[in-house]
Amino acid sequence: MTQVPKVWCVKLVQSLPGKPRTLQAVARELGLEKAFQPTILPNTPHFNEKIGELGSLVHVQPLVISPSPYPYANHPMMAANGVFYPSADKLSELHQKCGNTAQFIEFPESTPDSVKKEILAKYDEIFSTDSSNS
């Protein structure tokens, strides 16, 4: 069975000035003020309809929760590619809420298979220990 993402990472790919005011109002309602700044939205019919109204003004992709905190920061970080690196103390809580997001990872073509396997193995570890604790 195909899993559906619970949350979207949405970015404006064009600036709003010069666009119809109705589109500008929808974008601002969704928290999309600046181009290429990601916003997190739930995957619900209401928000999906609003995102659809914006059409090609936005780039939508599933939010991926990293299996480990960002190595160079002690705080949560949202990467430009739609990967969220939670703080270490919230890691397991976020994975419980959002589920396994590994199937939504879009690896660049140049990513070596060994790196892909290593990253996906971290997700397997997280969710095999979570299910055994339940």
Side-chain angles (χ1 to χ4, degrees):
M1 181 168 94
T2 304
Q3 288 206 346
V4 178
K6 293 183 181 182
V7 288
W8 296 120
C9 177
V10 183
K11 293 183 271 188
L12 276 174
V13 292
Q14 298 176 20
S15 59
L16 291 174
K19 304 294 181 224
R21 289 180 190 225
T22 54
L23 290 180
Q24 290 182 23
V26 171
R28 288 193 175 98
E29 180 184 335
L30 296 178
L32 299 166
E33 299 279 335
K34 294 182 179 178
F36 301 105
Q37 210 170 30
T39 298
I40 307 305
L41 297 172
N43 182 1
T44 63
H46 169 75
F47 284 105
N48 290 345
E49 182 180 322
K50 296 285 185 187
I51 292 169
E53 289 177 29
L54 295 174
S56 63
L57 287 177
V58 293
H59 173 73
V60 181
Q61 66 187 58
L63 177 70
V64 175
I65 309 292
S66 171
S68 56
Y70 192 68
Y72 305 109
N74 293 330
H75 54 80
M77 188 190 114
M78 180 71 184
N81 63 356
V83 176
F84 179 68
Y85 293 91
S87 58
D89 58 335
K90 298 288 184 184
L91 192 61
S92 63
E93 182 182 329
L94 274 170
H95 279 290
Q96 271 185 328
K97 285 183 180 178
C98 294
N100 188 347
T101 58
Q103 70 268 12
F104 303 121
I105 298 174
E106 295 177 10
F107 289 106
E109 289 181 22
S110 60
T111 306
D113 287 338
S114 61
V115 172
K116 291 179 190 177
K117 286 178 185 175
E118 180 182 334
I119 291 170
L120 295 174
K122 289 181 182 179
Y123 283 98
D124 292 340
E125 286 175 26
I126 290 169
F127 289 98
S128 65
T129 58
D130 282 352
S131 60
S132 64
N133 291 339
S134 302

